[in-house]
Amino acid sequence: MSADRAAPRPVEVTLHRVRLPLVRAHRAAHGSEALREVVLVEVALDDGQVGWGECSTLARPTYSAEYTSTAWAVLREVLAPAVLAGEAPRVVGHRMAVAALASALADAVLRDVGRPLAQELAAHHGTSPRAAVPAGAVIGRGTVDEVLEEVAAELGAGAALVKLKVSPDPPDLAAAEAVRSTWPDVALAVDWNGTADPTGLRRLDGLGLAYVEQPAPADELVTSAAMAASIGAPVALDESVASRGELDAAVALGAARIVNVKPARCGGPAPAAELVAHARNAGLEVFVGGMVETGVGRAAALAVAALPGCTLPTDLGPSRRYLSPDLTQDLVADGHGRMVTPTGPGIGVVPDPERLAAATVDRWSATRPAP
Ligand code: MG
């Protein structure tokens, strides 16, 4: 991230480990979370400016190898000391921890120059951010009645697409069929989170899906390509793609026609914006997904979703869907179900101090070593 003048130096990094009850449990094929435990990174610059970033790991290593306890350790032992020493952090993997620190630094530097992150990212790619982003609704696993009820509510709120979390379990397949028969024309997608079997894959392919997300496990691109060839709907990859190299491999194998770019998973907003551009150049459709973030992480992700290269509805939703109240001022949809791009400097939101204090279960801070 660049600014028009020399960037002030970070002098303090504070980690806030927070635990927040979700409005409803997040239920996917990889597990269920009723509490969201993430690390917020606060960076203070030598001019007094402060920036915020979120490490959106899950509490257990079920979605990715990285999880909240490993992120806490890497941020504390490696990333924060490197940044405070004025060195570029060098780690293999741990992209969510890297993303949190990168996001906090970008937020602080952009606040200094009064520039919104969405504008900075778009300008870097020769374009302008969209003021509002068409958004879909991601519906967790549940009984047929629960799923139908939730879909009805989200369509009523203007969702541009409905994505169902599914597994090979019969109730998940039945719920998808019930949604399609109730709403024959709605844009419908499914996310297998790596658990699809050939029978379920073919059965749901009959529903005329907008896309089928992550049918095969993250590292099984050849399987993903075979699955993509066996169905009519396009395959979207999420867990499989966090870098240009992984995207190139997926494209070369024919494993995906769509990519879900999650800034938290791709090393932060700037690398995510690069990946969006790279995917578009490779002929893929793109959307920005989320990690059930607090407002800090979701605002940063929305800045990426506002890029015109994100051609499909984002998964990012309004605060009311996840946390009530949010840790920050609420992120909201306009009257047409589109997410409003934050327009304030940096990520455009800050944590509410009282809510942050109430949610904090651990805190760690370090300052720049004396020269
Ligand atoms: Mg997904």
Side-chain angles (χ1 to χ4, degrees), residues 30 63 138 163 165 190-193 213-214 236-239 260 262 265 287 289-290 315:
H30 53 76
Y63 166 84
V138 181
K163 176 154 67 188
K165 291 285 195 180
V190 295
D191 185 357
W192 288 92
N193 286 107
E213 183 164 329
Q214 198 64 45
L237 288 181
D238 174 0
E239 289 94 315
N260 175 353
K262 291 181 175 169
R265 201 167 41 62
F287 65 92
D315 286 350

Side-chain angles (χ1 to χ4, degrees), residues 71-163:
W72 178 261
V74 168
L75 280 161
R76 187 174 154 161
E77 294 167 15
V78 183
L79 299 176
V83 160
L84 290 169
E87 298 163 3
R90 290 202 182 129
V91 291
V92 174
H94 298 285
R95 287 197 178 94
M96 294 196 219
V98 170
L101 191 55
S103 205
L105 280 166
D107 184 41
V109 169
L110 290 169
R111 282 180 193 279
D112 252 348
V113 295
R115 193 164 167 80
L117 176 61
Q119 212 176 77
E120 173 75 9
L121 293 172
H124 189 72
H125 290 275
T127 183
S128 298
R130 295 175 291 172
V133 183
V138 181
I139 311 293
R141 299 173 60 206
T143 65
V144 171
D145 285 347
E146 285 168 344
V147 170
L148 287 175
E149 190 180 325
E150 208 180 321
V151 170
E154 294 297 347
L155 288 174
L161 176 147
V162 167
K163 176 154 67 188

